[in-house]
Every structure is written in structure tokens, then in C-alpha cells.
Amino acid sequence: MQNPQQVKSAAEFIRARLGKPHDAKTAIILGTGLGDWAKGLTEVQSFDYADIPGFVPSTVQSHAGKLTAALVGGCPVWLQQGRFHLYEGRTPDEVCMGVRTLAELGADNLIITNAAGALNPQFNAGGLMGISDHINFTGLSPLTGPNHDAWGDRFPDMSRAYDEALLELAHAKALELGIRLERGIYIGVTGPNLETPAETRAFRMLGADAVGMSTVLEVIAAHHMGLRVLGISCLTNKNLPDCMAETSLEEVIATAGAAANKLSKLLNSVITAL
Ligand code: 6GU
């Protein structure tokens, strides 16, 4: 597991440079296509990963690489814009450096977003899915190695990794806004390749509704540290249903952008209700 001192140093670096207290209880990890939402924030102070001690620079072009303090409709939030992925060759600790820093900065609630392929044939591309549970199919955990007891248990319970009350709040707000929010299970893989038809069928049989290359390790680390987690996927492509529709990175990003419009409204509404 990560050296806790590294996470402390990263948080101290940010606190020292903010110049004033930022008492944000909500942290958000923005996935693919959600960059535009961040443009609507106020009182923004951002820190490039390249400058934060202990962080590795982000290599994914569709992701900015910065931690941000800002206000959403007057509510203070922490933001992780751009994340680290296993497919970049990052270790689970590197993948979880951001979320652990957000927790160290004082966040209690984590809203984690991502782009994912729809497996459930009832779900459409461009739709949104509230994550009720996950299957960690990466074969990895960010908790291997010595446990840092001040953060959490050696063998953390995962029976309620996603907070039911937050998910219900998201559904209630979606209903108010006239936004359709599916509910389902996210299976996390390493990527970077997408799935073969056989894998798509297999994951469906395992009970997953959407598949993606992020989130599961971060949620394990967040839950370990006691954060309440709300996960929302932007569904970027439809299951046909026997195999995923053929897709490309450009298409994934474009569709994530369309779903992101709805997610932006939903985020604003959920955050200000927390
Ligand atoms: Cl279809 N598969 C995976 N593994 N990740 C994705 C995706 C598909 N679409 C967006 N992210």
C-alpha cells in the first residue's frame, strides 16, 4: 500500500498553496468527456499533477491532469480532473494517489464518474448509469502490502461499497431533472483493449451492466478510507446484445460528451443537495 506520508505531503502541498481554508466535504473524480463541466465552476484553484509531490503526470490526452479546489453553486468541492489508469502502466497505488489525497484533504463524499461500455442490452449509448456495485476484474487491489491502520481495516468489508443513500439521492435528482438514470453493476478491467464478443457475453453472464477501465481500484481505496461513494457511468456504446457495437476512442469521447451534458446537470443538483 501507498506510503501515507506521500499522501500527507501532497495534501499539505495543496493546503499550503490555497492560501485560505477550503472546507470541502465532497470530492469529484471527473472521467472521460467531463472536462467541460469543470469550466462552469467558480473560485477555481488548480494544481497540475506535475507539480504535486508524489503525483505522476497524466499521459491520457482526453484527461486534464490536475487537482482543483472550487465552488459548485456555492458549495466547496475538491476535484480530480484526469486520473491514472492501469492501462497507462500505472500501479494500483498510482491509480489511487488522487483519491487518497482527496480523502486526506478532508473529503467525506466521493462522486466518481467514468465512461463505460453498456453491457445491459436495455441501456443506450449516451445514457447514464448509477453504479450500485462493482466487479473488480483487474486482478489487482490497491490494498495489498502493509495496511495503514489509520486509513482503514486490513480486510475492509465491501458489502456496501457504493452508498445507497447517495445513489437514491442521485435517482431522485435525476427524476426532478427529467434525466434517465439507469442503475447497474460496473465491471472494471485493465484495458486498454475493448472487449471481444465472447468477453462481452461472459461479463453479462457475470452480472455486469457496464464495463470500463477505471473506478474499481479508486472505489476500493476510497471505501477503505471511509468515504461515501456515488459512482456514475456515462454509457458510451451500446451492446448489440451479443457483442459490443464496434467503436473507437473518438466515438467513446464523443458519446461521453453527450452523456456528460446530462451528467453536468445531475452533478450540480446532487452536489448542492449534499
Ligand atoms: Cl466498450 N469497454 C471498456 N473496457 N471500457 C470502456 C468502453 C468499453 N467504453 C468506454 N470505456
Side-chain angles (χ1 to χ4, degrees), residues 152-182:
D153 296 340
R154 167 77 294 190
F155 301 106
D157 181 75
M158 288 290 287
S159 60
R160 281 189 291 263
Y162 295 81
D163 191 89
E164 189 59 38
L166 287 183
L167 188 55
E168 274 174 24
L169 174 67
H171 276 285
K173 293 297 171 190
L175 199 62
E176 264 176 40
L177 292 164
I179 292 169
R180 187 181 172 92
L181 180 65
E182 313 287 359

Side-chain angles (χ1 to χ4, degrees), residues 13-19 44-52 55 65-69 78-79 81:
F13 171 90
I14 289 166
R15 261 193 230 105
R17 272 159 189 75
L18 275 178
V44 175
Q45 280 187 274
S46 287
F47 305 89
D48 285 344
Y49 294 159
D51 299 328
I52 307 173
F55 274 69
K66 54 194 178 187
L67 284 195
T68 298
W78 297 111
L79 218 63
Q81 294 175 268

Side-chain angles (χ1 to χ4, degrees), residues 115-118 189 191 193-195 211-213 234 236-237 244 247 252:
V189 296
N193 54 286
L194 304 184
E195 291 65 43
V211 54
M213 305 173 196
C234 294
T236 53
N237 39 273
M244 205 72 81
T247 192
V252 165

Side-chain angles (χ1 to χ4, degrees), residues 22 27 29-30 33 42 49 56 68 84 86 94 105-106 125 148 160 164 184 206 211 213 222 226 228 236 241 255 268:
H22 186 70
I29 301 180
L30 291 183
T42 53
Y49 294 159
V56 284
T68 298
F84 305 104
L86 292 171
E94 286 170 343
L105 283 165
H148 184 46
R160 281 189 291 263
E164 189 59 38
L206 288 178
V211 54
M213 305 173 196
R228 298 201 303 160
T236 53
T255 315
N268 290 336

Side-chain angles (χ1 to χ4, degrees), residues 94-178:
E94 286 170 343
V95 168
C96 296
M97 184 67 192
V99 71
R100 285 173 165 150
T101 303
L102 298 173
E104 184 72 34
L105 283 165
D108 292 330
N109 301 311
L110 174 70
I111 303 177
I112 187 161
T113 68
N114 58 48
L119 293 169
N120 187 326
Q122 314 254 34
F123 294 177
N124 282 314
L128 298 177
M129 183 187 89
I131 303 175
S132 58
D133 202 352
H134 78 215
I135 298 168
N136 174 10
F137 207 75
T138 67
L140 298 166
S141 168
L143 306 182
T144 56
N147 186 53
H148 184 46
D149 295 335
W151 280 354
D153 296 340
R154 167 77 294 190
F155 301 106
D157 181 75
M158 288 290 287
S159 60
R160 281 189 291 263
Y162 295 81
D163 191 89
E164 189 59 38
L166 287 183
L167 188 55
E168 274 174 24
L169 174 67
H171 276 285
K173 293 297 171 190
L175 199 62
E176 264 176 40
L177 292 164

Side-chain angles (χ1 to χ4, degrees), residues 179-223:
I179 292 169
R180 187 181 172 92
L181 180 65
E182 313 287 359
R183 178 190 165 101
I185 292 172
Y186 175 97
I187 187 165
V189 296
T190 65
N193 54 286
L194 304 184
E195 291 65 43
T196 65
E199 287 164 344
T200 301
R201 285 191 295 273
F203 290 166
R204 191 72 195 119
M205 280 192 270
L206 288 178
D209 297 293
V211 54
M213 305 173 196
S214 66
T215 302
V216 291
L217 300 186
E218 293 150 309
V219 169
I220 292 169
H223 188 63

